Amino acid sequence: MFKKKILSIIAVLISSVFANCSFATTEEALFLENVARQYILAQFTEKNDNIRYNIKVSKVDRNRDFGGKCSGYLSAKLLTPEIKKNSIVKIICRRKNNPYSIQIPVSIIVQRATIVASDNIPKGSAITQSMLEKKFVNENLILNQSITDSSLIIGSKTKKDIRAGDFLKISDLCLVAKGDVVTISARSHGLEIKATGIAMEEGKLNETIAVKNIKSGKIIRALVKSANSVEVVF
Protein backbone atom coordinates (compact mmCIF):
# COMPACT_ATOMS: atom_id res chain seq x y z
CA MET A 1 0.00 0.00 0.00
CA PHE A 2 2.80 2.37 0.98
CA LYS A 3 4.77 1.44 -2.17
CA LYS A 4 1.75 2.19 -4.38
CA LYS A 5 1.35 5.59 -2.70
CA ILE A 6 5.03 6.46 -3.34
CA LEU A 7 4.72 5.43 -7.00
CA SER A 8 1.59 7.53 -7.31
CA ILE A 9 3.38 10.62 -5.92
CA ILE A 10 6.33 10.08 -8.28
CA ALA A 11 3.98 9.79 -11.25
CA VAL A 12 2.31 13.08 -10.30
CA LEU A 13 5.69 14.84 -9.97
CA ILE A 14 6.92 13.52 -13.33
CA SER A 15 3.73 14.57 -15.11
CA SER A 16 3.99 18.00 -13.47
CA VAL A 17 7.58 18.45 -14.67
CA PHE A 18 6.71 17.44 -18.23
CA ALA A 19 3.69 19.73 -18.20
CA ASN A 20 5.87 22.66 -17.14
CA CYS A 21 8.50 21.83 -19.78
CA SER A 22 5.82 21.61 -22.43
CA PHE A 23 4.43 24.99 -21.42
CA ALA A 24 7.88 26.59 -21.41
CA THR A 25 8.70 25.13 -24.84
CA THR A 26 5.43 26.37 -26.32
CA GLU A 27 5.96 29.78 -24.76
CA GLU A 28 9.47 29.97 -26.25
CA ALA A 29 8.22 28.88 -29.69
CA LEU A 30 5.58 31.62 -29.64
CA PHE A 31 8.21 34.13 -28.54
CA LEU A 32 10.48 33.25 -31.50
CA GLU A 33 7.56 33.40 -33.94
CA ASN A 34 6.79 36.89 -32.66
CA VAL A 35 10.45 37.91 -33.02
CA ALA A 36 10.33 36.85 -36.69
CA ARG A 37 7.05 38.73 -37.21
CA GLN A 38 8.28 41.94 -35.58
CA TYR A 39 11.57 41.77 -37.48
CA ILE A 40 9.72 41.63 -40.83
CA LEU A 41 7.37 44.47 -39.83
CA ALA A 42 10.39 46.58 -38.85
CA GLN A 43 11.64 46.39 -42.45
CA PHE A 44 8.70 48.49 -43.65
CA THR A 45 9.79 51.89 -42.36
CA GLU A 46 7.70 54.10 -44.65
CA LYS A 47 4.42 55.11 -43.00
CA ASN A 48 1.45 54.73 -45.33
CA ASP A 49 -2.10 54.62 -43.97
CA ASN A 50 -3.28 52.96 -47.19
CA ILE A 51 -1.05 49.89 -46.85
CA ARG A 52 -1.14 47.07 -44.32
CA TYR A 53 1.16 44.08 -44.03
CA ASN A 54 -0.22 40.71 -42.98
CA ILE A 55 2.70 38.57 -41.80
CA LYS A 56 2.17 34.81 -41.62
CA VAL A 57 4.88 33.02 -39.65
CA SER A 58 5.53 29.28 -39.90
CA LYS A 59 5.14 27.44 -36.59
CA VAL A 60 8.27 26.78 -34.57
CA ASP A 61 8.67 23.21 -33.28
CA ARG A 62 6.93 23.02 -29.90
CA ASN A 63 9.00 19.98 -28.90
CA ARG A 64 12.38 21.66 -29.21
CA ASP A 65 14.01 22.78 -25.98
CA PHE A 66 15.49 26.27 -26.47
CA GLY A 67 16.67 26.53 -22.88
CA GLY A 68 14.43 29.47 -22.03
CA LYS A 69 14.14 32.94 -23.53
CA CYS A 70 17.37 34.31 -24.97
CA SER A 71 16.67 37.92 -24.03
CA GLY A 72 19.61 40.25 -24.68
CA TYR A 73 21.49 37.76 -26.87
CA LEU A 74 19.17 37.48 -29.87
CA SER A 75 19.78 38.79 -33.37
CA ALA A 76 17.77 38.33 -36.55
CA LYS A 77 18.48 38.68 -40.24
CA LEU A 78 17.06 37.83 -43.65
CA LEU A 79 18.59 34.99 -45.61
CA THR A 80 18.05 36.92 -48.87
CA PRO A 81 19.56 40.31 -49.88
CA GLU A 82 16.12 41.92 -49.90
CA ILE A 83 12.72 41.20 -48.47
CA LYS A 84 10.39 39.06 -50.58
CA LYS A 85 6.81 37.90 -50.24
CA ASN A 86 8.19 34.55 -49.13
CA SER A 87 11.25 35.08 -46.95
CA ILE A 88 13.21 33.32 -44.24
CA VAL A 89 14.24 34.97 -41.00
CA LYS A 90 17.27 33.52 -39.25
CA ILE A 91 17.27 34.05 -35.50
CA ILE A 92 20.52 33.54 -33.61
CA CYS A 93 20.95 33.19 -29.83
CA ARG A 94 24.55 34.00 -28.84
CA ARG A 95 24.45 33.31 -25.12
CA LYS A 96 27.37 31.24 -23.77
CA ASN A 97 25.21 28.49 -22.36
CA ASN A 98 23.01 26.70 -24.91
CA PRO A 99 23.41 28.98 -27.96
CA TYR A 100 21.26 28.14 -31.00
CA SER A 101 20.02 29.36 -34.36
CA ILE A 102 16.73 28.76 -36.12
CA GLN A 103 15.35 29.59 -39.57
CA ILE A 104 11.69 30.62 -39.69
CA PRO A 105 9.85 30.93 -43.04
CA VAL A 106 7.46 33.86 -43.29
CA SER A 107 5.02 34.98 -45.96
CA ILE A 108 4.03 38.60 -46.47
CA ILE A 109 0.64 39.63 -47.81
CA VAL A 110 0.44 43.29 -48.81
CA GLN A 111 -3.04 44.74 -48.37
CA ARG A 112 -3.92 48.06 -50.00
CA ALA A 113 -6.86 50.33 -49.33
CA THR A 114 -9.37 50.47 -52.13
CA ILE A 115 -12.76 52.13 -52.39
CA VAL A 116 -15.90 49.99 -52.40
CA ALA A 117 -19.59 50.80 -52.41
CA SER A 118 -21.06 50.89 -48.89
CA ASP A 119 -24.56 50.29 -50.33
CA ASN A 120 -26.22 49.61 -53.67
CA ILE A 121 -25.72 52.58 -56.02
CA PRO A 122 -28.16 52.91 -58.95
CA LYS A 123 -26.96 53.94 -62.41
CA GLY A 124 -26.82 57.72 -62.89
CA SER A 125 -26.31 58.49 -59.18
CA ALA A 126 -23.99 61.32 -58.16
CA ILE A 127 -21.34 59.86 -55.87
CA THR A 128 -21.22 61.17 -52.29
CA GLN A 129 -18.82 60.23 -49.48
CA SER A 130 -21.58 58.36 -47.62
CA MET A 131 -21.85 55.90 -50.53
CA LEU A 132 -18.23 54.84 -50.15
CA GLU A 133 -16.02 53.01 -47.70
CA LYS A 134 -12.39 51.97 -47.54
CA LYS A 135 -11.52 48.29 -47.57
CA PHE A 136 -8.08 46.67 -47.30
CA VAL A 137 -7.62 43.99 -49.94
CA ASN A 138 -4.77 41.72 -51.01
CA GLU A 139 -2.99 43.81 -53.65
CA ASN A 140 -3.02 40.85 -56.04
CA LEU A 141 -6.83 41.03 -56.11
CA ILE A 142 -7.06 44.76 -56.85
CA LEU A 143 -7.90 45.57 -60.45
CA ASN A 144 -5.89 48.15 -62.41
CA GLN A 145 -8.93 50.42 -62.66
CA SER A 146 -9.82 50.29 -58.96
CA ILE A 147 -10.16 53.63 -57.15
CA THR A 148 -7.93 54.18 -54.12
CA ASP A 149 -8.69 57.86 -53.42
CA SER A 150 -12.35 58.68 -52.84
CA SER A 151 -11.77 62.44 -53.18
CA LEU A 152 -11.19 61.98 -56.91
CA ILE A 153 -14.68 60.67 -57.58
CA ILE A 154 -16.97 62.66 -55.27
CA GLY A 155 -19.55 64.31 -57.55
CA SER A 156 -19.02 61.90 -60.45
CA LYS A 157 -21.95 59.90 -61.86
CA THR A 158 -22.27 56.14 -62.13
CA LYS A 159 -22.56 54.62 -65.59
CA LYS A 160 -24.01 51.35 -64.28
CA ASP A 161 -25.65 49.84 -61.21
CA ILE A 162 -23.08 49.13 -58.51
CA ARG A 163 -23.75 46.61 -55.77
CA ALA A 164 -22.75 47.03 -52.12
CA GLY A 165 -19.21 45.78 -51.56
CA ASP A 166 -18.17 46.09 -55.22
CA PHE A 167 -14.89 47.82 -56.10
CA LEU A 168 -15.46 51.18 -57.77
CA LYS A 169 -13.65 51.23 -61.09
CA ILE A 170 -12.71 54.09 -63.39
CA SER A 171 -14.80 52.58 -66.17
CA ASP A 172 -17.92 52.59 -63.92
CA LEU A 173 -17.87 56.37 -63.49
CA CYS A 174 -18.27 59.50 -65.54
CA LEU A 175 -16.13 62.15 -63.88
CA VAL A 176 -16.89 64.75 -66.52
CA ALA A 177 -19.94 64.67 -68.80
CA LYS A 178 -20.37 66.64 -72.00
CA GLY A 179 -21.73 70.09 -71.12
CA ASP A 180 -20.56 69.97 -67.49
CA VAL A 181 -19.12 73.11 -65.94
CA VAL A 182 -15.55 72.27 -64.94
CA THR A 183 -12.67 73.92 -63.15
CA ILE A 184 -9.61 74.32 -65.36
CA SER A 185 -6.25 74.36 -63.58
CA ALA A 186 -2.95 75.33 -65.16
CA ARG A 187 0.42 75.12 -63.39
CA SER A 188 3.62 76.75 -64.56
CA HIS A 189 6.82 77.68 -62.69
CA GLY A 190 5.22 77.06 -59.30
CA LEU A 191 2.13 79.17 -60.07
CA GLU A 192 -1.40 77.86 -60.46
CA ILE A 193 -4.11 79.58 -62.49
CA LYS A 194 -7.74 78.52 -62.39
CA ALA A 195 -10.56 79.23 -64.81
CA THR A 196 -14.07 77.97 -65.54
CA GLY A 197 -14.87 75.97 -68.63
CA ILE A 198 -17.43 73.80 -70.37
CA ALA A 199 -16.61 70.18 -71.18
CA MET A 200 -17.04 69.55 -74.90
CA GLU A 201 -16.98 65.78 -74.42
CA GLU A 202 -17.22 63.11 -71.75
CA GLY A 203 -14.07 62.17 -69.85
CA LYS A 204 -12.82 59.49 -67.47
CA LEU A 205 -10.02 59.83 -64.94
CA ASN A 206 -6.67 60.71 -66.59
CA GLU A 207 -8.32 61.03 -70.02
CA THR A 208 -7.65 64.08 -72.20
CA ILE A 209 -10.77 65.94 -73.38
CA ALA A 210 -11.70 69.18 -75.15
CA VAL A 211 -12.75 72.02 -72.83
CA LYS A 212 -13.98 75.51 -73.73
CA ASN A 213 -12.74 78.38 -71.58
CA ILE A 214 -15.89 80.37 -70.77
CA LYS A 215 -14.05 83.68 -70.46
CA SER A 216 -11.88 83.51 -73.58
CA GLY A 217 -13.99 81.18 -75.68
CA LYS A 218 -10.85 79.24 -76.55
CA ILE A 219 -11.03 75.44 -76.78
CA ILE A 220 -8.14 73.62 -75.12
CA ARG A 221 -7.13 70.04 -74.37
CA ALA A 222 -7.03 69.15 -70.69
CA LEU A 223 -6.56 66.08 -68.51
CA VAL A 224 -9.43 64.90 -66.27
CA LYS A 225 -8.04 64.92 -62.70
CA SER A 226 -11.18 64.44 -60.62
CA ALA A 227 -14.94 65.00 -60.80
CA ASN A 228 -15.58 68.25 -62.73
CA SER A 229 -11.90 69.18 -62.59
CA VAL A 230 -9.37 69.22 -65.44
CA GLU A 231 -5.76 70.27 -65.74
CA VAL A 232 -3.88 71.77 -68.68
CA VAL A 233 -0.66 69.90 -69.31
CA PHE A 234 2.18 71.97 -70.77
Side-chain angles (χ1 to χ4, degrees), residues 10-120:
I10 292 172
V12 170
L13 289 173
I14 290 173
S15 63
S16 175
V17 168
F18 276 108
N20 288 336
C21 286
S22 175
F23 174 77
T25 303
T26 299
E27 185 181 50
E28 177 65 3
L30 290 171
F31 170 74
L32 292 171
E33 289 168 14
N34 191 50
V35 169
R37 181 181 292 103
Q38 294 304 319
Y39 175 80
I40 291 294
L41 287 172
Q43 307 311 302
F44 303 106
T45 55
E46 183 180 352
K47 182 174 175 57
N48 190 330
D49 292 335
N50 289 320
I51 298 179
R52 290 179 181 172
Y53 300 99
N54 184 11
I55 313 299
K56 293 189 176 181
V57 182
S58 296
K59 281 192 173 184
V60 172
D61 184 4
R62 265 58 175 165
N63 295 317
R64 179 173 171 178
D65 184 5
F66 293 97
K69 287 185 180 179
C70 188
S71 302
Y73 299 93
L74 275 183
S75 64
K77 66 178 183 179
L78 283 173
L79 289 189
T80 52
E82 58 185 26
I83 196 164
K84 298 180 179 179
K85 290 188 176 180
N86 291 299
S87 298
I88 296 177
V89 177
K90 184 175 183 179
I91 298 175
I92 303 170
C93 172
R94 290 189 169 85
R95 66 188 170 199
K96 291 182 179 180
N97 297 323
N98 196 13
Y100 65 84
S101 68
I102 184 171
Q103 296 181 10
I104 305 178
V106 297
S107 59
I108 304 157
I109 299 173
V110 181
Q111 296 178 315
R112 295 185 181 273
T114 189
I115 304 302
V116 301
S118 58
D119 205 346
N120 293 332

Side-chain angles (χ1 to χ4, degrees), residues 1-10:
M1 184 71 177
F2 177 74
K3 187 176 181 180
K4 285 184 178 180
K5 188 173 182 181
I6 292 295
L7 290 174
S8 177
I9 292 172
I10 292 172

Side-chain angles (χ1 to χ4, degrees), residues 124-129 131-132 150-158 173-177 180 226-228:
S125 299
I127 295 293
T128 63
Q129 188 64 57
M131 298 176 177
L132 311 173
S150 62
S151 66
L152 299 177
I153 61 173
I154 300 300
S156 63
K157 293 183 176 63
T158 55
L173 304 168
C174 176
L175 269 69
V176 175
D180 277 356
S226 61
N228 301 319

